[in-house]
């Protein structure tokens, strides 16, 4: 939440233009979170390498050098809605790497620059996390003591990270983003 607020206050994007995609992401997260209570998640471990390959492909450096869209860019609803449902579902159902998938998808499909994509990814990821958290709480599936400790660290890290990203831009974000994808690749393979 803290990084999403920092990016919003710094006018990296216009939230009103992304509300439709945000809504589809929330719907996807709700469906994914409810589904996890009825479906075994073991098969998902076989799907993760495929998702990582897609994320790496979408994050190839040639797409990271564009100038990005203007702050008043209106994303196409169909593409955005499909991306929102898929990534929202994934975040609610399983979750790891959702922020990277959002960043990659926003760069690949909407030709945003890395800073814009990262900022919007934080907003989308935060909101789908909130929906998933509320639903998991309603199912009694939350360890609250661990959750509060993790949330505290996440808020501080997000706040510092967002300010650093705004200050240093793509020259800092790109290597960290590609390093994260490399670490994910090494972990799963």
């Amino acid at each position: 939440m803290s990084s999403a607020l920092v990016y919003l206050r710094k006018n990296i994007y216009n939230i009103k233009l992304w509300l439709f995609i945000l809504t589809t992401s929330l719907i996807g997260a709700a469906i994914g979170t409810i589904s996890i209570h009825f479906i075994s998640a073991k098969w998902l471990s076989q799907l993760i390498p495929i998702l990582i390959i897609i994320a790496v492909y979408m994050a190839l450096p040639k797409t990271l050098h564009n100038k990005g869209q203007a702050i008043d860019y209106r994303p196409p609803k169909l593409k955005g809605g499909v991306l929102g449902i898929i990534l929202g579902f994934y975040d609610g159902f399983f979750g790891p790497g959702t922020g990277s998938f959002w960043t990659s998808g926003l760069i690949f499909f909407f030709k945003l620059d890395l800073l814009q994509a990262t900022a919007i990814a934080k907003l989308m990821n935060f909101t789908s996390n909130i929906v998933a958290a509320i639903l998991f709480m309603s199912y009694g599936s939350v360890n609250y003591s661990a959750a509060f400790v993790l949330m505290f660290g996440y808020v501080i890290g997000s706040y510092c990270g967002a300010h650093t990203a705004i200050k240093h831009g793509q020259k800092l974000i790109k290597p960290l983003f590609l390093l994260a994808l490399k670490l994910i690749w090494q972990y799963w393979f």
Side-chain angles (χ1 to χ4, degrees), residues 11 17 34 45 49 61 79 89 91-92 94 103 108 112 115 118 120 133 147-148 153-155 167-168 170:
N11 291 321
L17 301 177
I34 292 167
S45 64
K79 264 194 232 179
F89 178 88
D91 198 21
F94 189 68
T103 302
F108 185 78
L112 300 179
L115 183 60
T118 301
I120 294 166
F148 284 117
Y154 177 79
V155 167
K167 183 176 180 181
H168 298 287
Q170 289 195 43

Side-chain angles (χ1 to χ4, degrees), residues 14-26 75 77 123-124:
N14 182 345
I15 191 171
K16 292 177 186 173
L17 301 177
W18 293 91
L19 288 177
F20 177 77
I21 299 170
L22 182 71
T23 303
T24 61
S25 177
L26 295 175
K77 286 189 175 183
L123 173 69
M124 300 298 176

Side-chain angles (χ1 to χ4, degrees), residues 19 27 30 51 88 94 96 108 150 157 164-165 167 176:
L19 288 177
I27 292 167
L51 295 174
F94 189 68
F108 185 78
L150 292 169
T164 303
K167 183 176 180 181
L176 292 175

Side-chain angles (χ1 to χ4, degrees), residues 96-118:
T98 305
S100 296
F101 293 146
W102 265 114
T103 302
S104 297
L106 292 167
I107 291 168
F108 185 78
F109 292 115
F110 304 124
K111 305 300 182 221
L112 300 179
D113 67 31
L114 192 54
L115 183 60
Q116 289 172 311
T118 301

Side-chain angles (χ1 to χ4, degrees), residues 12-78:
I12 304 297
Y13 62 93
N14 182 345
I15 191 171
K16 292 177 186 173
L17 301 177
W18 293 91
L19 288 177
F20 177 77
I21 299 170
L22 182 71
T23 303
T24 61
S25 177
L26 295 175
I27 292 167
I31 294 168
T33 305
I34 292 167
S35 297
I36 195 73
H37 288 89
F38 300 104
I39 300 171
S40 172
K42 289 183 181 182
W43 65 268
L44 197 56
S45 64
Q46 296 173 347
L47 182 61
I48 288 175
I50 295 167
L51 295 174
I52 292 170
I53 290 168
I54 293 168
V56 169
Y57 173 75
M58 290 190 302
L60 289 173
K62 65 178 181 353
T63 62
L64 298 178
H65 293 295
N66 62 30
K67 294 183 179 180
Q69 300 288 353
I71 190 172
D72 59 352
Y73 169 70
R74 184 175 305 276
K77 286 189 175 183
L78 181 60

Side-chain angles (χ1 to χ4, degrees), residues 67-189:
K67 294 183 179 180
Q69 300 288 353
I71 190 172
D72 59 352
Y73 169 70
R74 184 175 305 276
K77 286 189 175 183
L78 181 60
K79 264 194 232 179
V82 170
L83 189 65
I85 289 285
I86 291 170
L87 292 179
F89 178 88
Y90 174 80
D91 198 21
F93 189 84
F94 189 68
T98 305
S100 296
F101 293 146
W102 265 114
T103 302
S104 297
L106 292 167
I107 291 168
F108 185 78
F109 292 115
F110 304 124
K111 305 300 182 221
L112 300 179
D113 67 31
L114 192 54
L115 183 60
Q116 289 172 311
T118 301
I120 294 166
K122 295 294 182 187
L123 173 69
M124 300 298 176
N125 200 23
F126 170 74
T127 53
S128 60
N129 284 333
I130 290 296
V131 168
I134 290 168
L135 289 171
F136 277 122
M137 286 187 286
S138 72
Y139 281 104
S141 303
V142 176
N143 178 335
Y144 289 98
S145 57
F148 284 117
V149 170
L150 292 169
M151 185 176 65
F152 181 73
Y154 177 79
V155 167
I156 291 171
S158 295
Y159 180 83
C160 294
H163 280 287
T164 303
I166 290 169
K167 183 176 180 181
H168 298 287
Q170 289 195 43
K171 65 184 173 194
L172 175 69
I173 298 172
K174 180 182 174 184
L176 292 175
F177 179 68
L178 294 175
L179 175 63
L181 290 176
K182 180 179 182 274
L183 292 174
I184 291 169
W185 183 269
Q186 287 176 339
Y187 177 74
W188 289 104
F189 298 103

